Amino acid sequence: MPEEQRWRRVIWPYGPPIVFVVAIVIFLWVWVFTPITTVLLVRHAERAASPAGDPALTAAGEARAEELVHVAGVAGVTGIYASQYQRTQQTVTPLASALGLPVTVVDAADTDQLVDRILSDHGGAVVAVAGHSNTVPEIVEALGAPALCPGIIAFTPSGDCHLSESQYDNMFVVTIGWFWGRNVVRLRYGGPTP
């Protein structure tokens, strides 16, 4: 019998167990060490009725912004994003101050830029984002998580997927993992709103 065939015969009985062990080690490595990016996504807190274009937060909104510090302050947030409007920036400013982080401003109409920045600059980290009733569902979907409508929130009468204009207490937690996929969970924070 040639030397090569004899060598195969000696090793082959151990081949399947070795392949199985290697596969298990790779699986566990990916499972344990795959970074998960977590995005804490809220709509801006309660806003004043005027000025119409860019109103500030009301006293109730300021209180909700402080509650965000209580809820997200211990979550390990390493990045904070808001739109160009003062109501979103004021919603996350207390959290940013408490954590010593800057608020990164991204245009509300540029969801793709926001998502690209989150994934490239904060992969495997926790990020807080303040958006708007119409942008929060867009951001969730752009992050690759399941759509909010119709499963988590209802479509508006016009067929759009927007948060209710009267609700400010939603927090959507989006998890993004290479191995685990992308998921979204809806939570509430601060005082309840209708």
Side-chain angles (χ1 to χ4, degrees):
M1 174 178 296
E3 183 69 25
E4 183 179 318
Q5 287 179 346
R6 198 171 82 200
W7 180 250
R8 284 185 188 163
R9 191 185 256 180
V10 170
I11 290 187
W12 180 245
Y14 304 106
I18 290 171
V19 170
F20 178 74
V21 168
V22 168
I24 292 295
V25 168
I26 291 171
F27 172 78
L28 291 174
W29 179 266
V30 170
W31 185 30
V32 171
F33 295 108
T34 298
I36 294 176
T37 304
T38 303
V39 180
L40 309 176
L41 182 57
V42 298
R43 179 186 179 206
H44 60 77
E46 290 87 340
R47 63 186 167 130
S50 61
D54 192 13
L57 296 183
T58 63
E62 291 171 356
R64 187 174 304 282
E66 291 296 332
E67 184 64 23
L68 186 59
V69 176
H70 176 73
V71 172
V74 295
V77 172
T78 61
I80 300 175
Y81 291 85
S83 75
Q84 70 273 25
Y85 297 104
Q86 68 175 334
R87 59 191 177 270
T88 60
Q89 294 172 33
Q90 290 173 344
T91 299
V92 294
T93 294
L95 178 63
S97 295
L99 299 176
L101 296 171
V103 176
T104 303
V105 176
V106 177
D107 190 294
D110 200 348
T111 301
D112 290 338
Q113 180 193 11
L114 172 65
V115 169
D116 288 345
R117 299 237 2 222
I118 290 170
L119 297 178
S120 65
D121 297 350
H122 303 282
V126 180
V127 177
V129 178
H132 301 271
S133 62
N134 61 329
T135 64
V136 167
E138 289 176 7
I139 295 166
V140 168
E141 284 191 60
L143 287 167
L148 295 181
C149 293
I152 297 176
I153 60 174
F155 285 106
T156 64
S158 64
D160 295 322
C161 186
H162 292 175
L163 300 174
S164 168
E165 285 297 323
S166 63
Q167 286 191 329
Y168 298 94
D169 60 349
N170 289 299
M171 175 183 284
F172 298 95
V173 181
V174 179
T175 54
I176 304 162
W178 177 79
F179 185 74
W180 295 110
R182 297 166 188 231
N183 296 300
V184 62
V185 175
R186 178 188 191 182
L187 304 173
R188 304 274 188 180
Y189 79 105
T193 57

